[in-house]
Amino acid sequence: MNTGTEPRALHLLNTVFGFAAFRGAQEEIVGHVASGGDALVLMPTGGGKSLCYQLPALLRPGAALVISPLIALMQDQVAALKQLGVRAAFLNSTLNSKQVQETERALQSGELDLLYVAPERLMMPRMLELLAEPKIALFAIDEAHCVSQWGHDFRPEYLALSVLHERFPAVPRIALTATADPQTRDEIIRRLALEDARIFISSFDRPNIRYTIVDKEDARTQLLRFIREEHAGEAGIVYCLSRKKVDETAAWLAAQGVRALPYHAGMEAAERAANQERFQREDGVVMVATIAFGMGIDKPDVRFVAHLDLPKSIEGYYQETGRAGRDGLPADAWMAYGLGDVVQLRRMMEQSEGGEEFRRISFAKLDALLGLCETAGCRRVRLLDYFSEASAPCGNCDTCLAPPQTWDASEAARKALSCIYRTGQRFGAVHLMDVLRGKATERVSQWNHHQLNVFGAGADLDEATWRTVFRQLVALGYARPDHDAHGGLRLTETSRAVLKGEQQVEMRRAVPRRGKSPKARSGAAIPAGVDADLLARLKAWRSEQARTQSVPPYVVFHDSTLAGIAAAHPRNLDGLSVITGIGAKKLERYGPALLELLR
Ligand code: ADP
Ligand code: ZN
């Protein structure tokens, strides 16, 4: 590192950003890039990647070019930097030619610290001509996994970014991503010619996210209870598999008094954009969405992500739940999961267009996810282990907080498998449960199933228990749904050993429905010792500020900063200035009004 970089970096961190200390590897990355090195940074969402290029941009002469595919976000990012007194601008297709000219002029005359550009614009010959080497501080390639042709965020324009290195060999490059898997990492290195870059890999743990996976009963009601009890009035995302379910769920939640909006690819573009805008800019909106909603969501105060349907893989689950709690405050990842989910996903995978190999991989990924759902051990340990990261039980997931009981379900499993066999391997769990519990339904008499010896053989167990038995039989591979019929269950190669009593089966017990969860946090984002009234007033003040400047509220101050103010109750500017998130510029701009409000 250049001598003198370290104290300067810390000074800027304190005065410009208002942060007391670097987080994790930030300091090392900043030093490396500021002194001209290339870097590949792998850090989870909310890890603090932006600072890794924003600080070097201020430390090095010239403007930093930040390449980002997320045009919709550039405006907010630039607005946030301007609030800090940083000279930032963006160039993308939303600007008119006059605005473009003005920004280009500012760039050329050295009036910018950071310039955000869309990749296709950077690659225009005209733009490349404008860039003279001595005036470029660095290139930051954000969302670098977009260069991966196998990922779902692939952007062909990213492939052309390898010329940066040839054209500007002396300018340092820093590529950043929150994608954890090794294949993507290797592809980024190869395609962006980053073989000589230093690689910084952070832990992918998100300690502030609490993972909870509940047995699905009446999923909508369960969701509503979860929102009301733990996240009333807070922003969240609810993921559903189909567009139809998105629309229905959003309408239903809205009818129950939740500020819910739908989002999916089948909606009209204008309506979709309007809903996204409201989610970003208003406090406490719940977005009900398909996975089309996600990339480009930069909202730091999403307090929960709920899944009403099972994602296809652990990668998907991690990425989707990762949108909660970017600001580091407590957040929830909540999922309701049942046999129907497994049946539906397996059927989709069976019927997919992909080849045999693709199907094999899809099933393996689903199995890994089912393992996470059914584990009696710590969810986080399981999740991180999937990304090859070792960890200890976390104390902040449902299985750590209320360890599930397991029971010897061998006999129940035998009865269930036998019932599948005797009824001809064509019925779904609902009918099978009726037979086992001895219910004389129309269907039972239609098929004469009351005459089988399994009829009523399972009357000793209640319906909730049987539901978990069938679900776990499928998750554990002792039975599998038939993809042609409507989820009819069939035996597998491994069923035999259970039927013959040669194989013991351990299962998780159905979790009895609790009232409030034992460690429910009241209003998760309000830390202990914070005056809730004052916090509400601060939020109202922030909304007003945001409205008059037309920026999202979190651009003015993050929730954590407001909570810091409410807790410390400072009486003067000095007291305000030590609170995280209040740098020199914001102190000057908002300090007097805040002190007035605190008085
Ligand atoms: P990422 O891009 O990795 O998802 P961000 O750069 O948006 O994450 O940072 C996540 C949050 O952490 C932001 O609210 C940011 O202001 C905050 N943050 C980053 N670095 C620090 C730090 N050193 N101290 C305090 N807060 C930080
Ligand atoms: Zn745990």
Side-chain angles (χ1 to χ4, degrees):
M1 195 191 283
N2 286 340
T3 45
T5 304
E6 276 171 63
R8 273 176 64 216
L10 186 61
H11 180 72
L12 290 175
L13 182 75
N14 299 154
T15 54
V16 176
F17 294 89
F19 297 151
F22 283 106
R23 221 190 242 169
Q26 277 177 340
E27 182 166 22
E28 232 183 318
I29 299 167
V30 167
H32 180 71
V33 176
S35 54
D38 290 343
L40 171 59
V41 173
L42 298 118
M43 229 185 235
T45 304
K49 285 185 285 299
S50 330
L51 228 114
C52 298
Y53 59 82
Q54 289 170 349
L55 260 185
L58 299 179
L59 288 163
R60 290 177 65 85
L65 275 283
V66 184
I67 297 121
S68 164
L70 309 172
I71 291 180
L73 287 184
M74 288 182 183
Q75 201 179 345
D76 290 347
Q77 278 160 347
V78 166
L81 284 166
K82 283 185 171 164
Q83 295 264 329
L84 303 176
V86 174
R87 302 176 304 168
F90 64 87
L91 273 180
N92 63 34
S93 51
T94 65
L95 300 181
N96 62 34
S97 61
K98 197 160 163 245
Q99 292 168 311
V100 170
Q101 273 171 21
E102 168 50 26
T103 306
E104 287 177 352
R105 190 205 55 74
L107 174 69
Q108 284 213 296
S109 50
E111 291 164 26
L112 292 179
D113 297 313
L114 283 120
L115 178 61
Y116 286 74
V117 282
E120 58 277 10
R121 181 161 291 260
L122 178 66
M123 286 302 140
M124 286 178 182
R126 184 183 141 71
M127 183 77 207
L128 289 173
E129 292 304 322
L130 270 182
L131 299 174
E133 198 152 89
K135 287 187 184 158
I136 315 174
L138 58 99
F139 290 110
I141 304 168
D142 207 3
E143 313 288 349
H145 61 279
C146 288
V147 82
S148 160
Q149 283 180 291
W150 308 112
H152 39 256
D153 296 327
F154 176 56
R155 307 274 169 135
E157 314 87 68
Y158 261 62
L159 293 174
L161 295 176
S162 59
V163 311
L164 293 178
H165 166 58
E166 289 151 25
R167 204 165 164 138
F168 309 100
V171 178
R173 292 174 301 149
I174 171 173
L176 311 102
T177 180
T179 302
D181 66 283
Q183 298 92 302
T184 310
R185 182 197 318 160
D186 294 345
E187 213 181 335
I188 293 172
I189 294 175
R190 204 156 29 83
R191 296 199 185 275
L192 295 179
L194 284 168
E195 284 83 3
D196 297 328
R198 231 179 108 182
I199 303 181
F200 296 88
I201 303 180
S202 305
S203 163
F204 271 77
D205 185 21
R206 303 285 310 280
N208 60 315
I209 298 182
R210 176 177 293 180
Y211 298 99
T212 302
I213 302 178
V214 304
D215 294 345
K216 197 182 262 187
E217 288 159 27
D218 175 357
R220 274 198 330 201
T221 313
Q222 288 171 289
L223 172 69
L224 183 64
R225 197 182 323 133
F226 164 73
I227 293 177
R228 281 189 178 152
E229 286 176 6
E230 312 225 3
H231 294 287
E234 296 181 328
I237 305 174
V238 177
Y239 280 114
C240 303
L241 203 54
S242 70
R243 296 168 183 185
K244 182 161 166 266
K245 189 159 166 186
V246 164
D247 286 332
E248 287 170 1
T249 308
W252 185 79
L253 283 175
Q256 309 301 314
V258 177
R259 290 181 66 191
L261 297 173
Y263 186 102
H264 58 69
M267 285 163 62
E268 229 177 279
E271 192 190 357
R272 208 169 58 212
N275 285 358
Q276 170 156 352
E277 175 90 0
R278 283 190 58 192
F279 179 73
Q280 290 272 136
R281 308 218 157 197
E282 292 175 20
D283 279 329
V285 172
V286 173
M287 191 68 114
V288 185
T290 61
I291 54 170
F293 182 73
M295 175 91 164
I297 302 311
D298 206 4
K299 194 173 164 58
D301 54 354
V302 175
R303 294 270 65 86
F304 69 89
V305 170
H307 280 91
L308 282 188
D309 294 303
L310 202 58
K312 293 189 182 67
S313 64
I314 290 189
E315 286 95 332
Y317 176 73
Y318 179 80
Q319 202 172 61
E320 285 143 35
T321 55
R323 290 171 188 138
R326 279 179 91 117
D327 55 10
L329 297 176
D332 274 295
W334 182 93
M335 176 157 78
Y337 142 82
L339 176 60
D341 289 298
V342 187
V343 170
Q344 186 179 24
L345 273 187
R346 283 197 73 107
R347 192 157 57 215
M348 278 173 52
M349 288 173 182
E350 291 279 4
Q351 293 167 351
S352 81
E353 302 284 305
E356 202 42 50
E357 172 72 359
F358 177 78
R359 258 197 289 276
R360 200 183 53 75
I361 295 173
S362 308
F363 284 134
K365 291 194 167 193
L366 178 59
D367 281 342
L369 182 65
L370 294 180
L372 174 70
C373 294
E374 298 295 354
T375 185
C378 172
R379 307 259 191 224
R380 194 179 312 270
V381 165
R382 195 85 187 208
L383 195 60
L384 292 173
D385 177 62
Y386 184 80
F387 297 117
S388 311
E389 193 178 324
S391 62
C394 71
N396 192 28
C397 70
D398 58 346
T399 52
C400 279
L401 292 168
Q405 293 175 350
T406 58
W407 59 301
D408 179 355
S410 307
E411 195 188 326
R414 200 156 53 235
K415 286 179 186 168
L417 292 176
S418 163
C419 185
I420 291 173
Y421 183 70
R422 298 280 165 212
T423 52
Q425 307 195 62
R426 58 199 299 181
F427 293 93
V430 174
H431 180 68
L432 295 168
M433 282 180 351
D434 286 345
V435 175
L436 281 167
R437 303 198 63 237
K439 272 210 216 159
T441 65
E442 208 171 297
R443 212 146 179 228
V444 163
S445 43
Q446 183 190 341
W447 292 92
N448 278 330
H449 284 164
H450 52 283
Q451 288 172 358
L452 299 175
N453 61 4
V454 287
F455 185 75
D460 52 329
L461 299 180
D462 62 12
E463 204 174 302
T465 303
W466 277 117
R467 198 163 37 227
T468 68
V469 167
F470 278 103
R471 193 192 72 219
Q472 291 178 79
L473 280 175
V474 173
L476 298 168
Y478 293 119
R480 71 177 166 77
D482 196 340
H483 60 277
D484 309 321
H486 287 277
L489 295 179
R490 304 183 65 83
L491 301 185
T492 67
E493 311 75 56
T494 52
S495 315
R496 225 176 112 87
V498 178
L499 276 166
K500 292 175 80 179
E502 294 164 4
Q503 168 77 51
Q504 265 212 330
V505 185
E506 277 289 298
M507 287 192 182
R508 274 174 68 126
R509 225 179 244 303
V511 182
R513 186 188 300 182
R514 282 166 291 169
K516 229 177 162 90
S517 61
K519 310 216 171 170
R521 296 159 299 208
S522 60
I526 302 180
V530 168
D531 178 344
D533 262 6
L534 178 55
L535 189 60
R537 278 195 293 133
L538 287 166
K539 281 193 177 175
W541 170 84
R542 178 180 65 176
S543 294
E544 191 53 43
Q545 290 295 326
R547 227 186 342 268
T548 47
Q549 300 180 59
S550 5
V551 294
Y554 56 80
V555 163
V556 177
F557 282 122
H558 276 184
D559 285 357
S560 53
T561 302
L562 294 189
I565 297 172
H569 221 292
R571 311 216 166 270
N572 51 39
L573 288 177
D574 274 353
L576 265 179
S577 73
V578 298
I579 289 166
T580 299
I582 306 187
K585 205 75 194 177
K586 287 192 176 174
L587 187 67
E588 182 190 314
R589 183 167 192 167
Y590 302 117
L594 281 172
L595 291 177
E596 183 68 27
L597 190 145
L598 286 165
R599 215 162 275 142

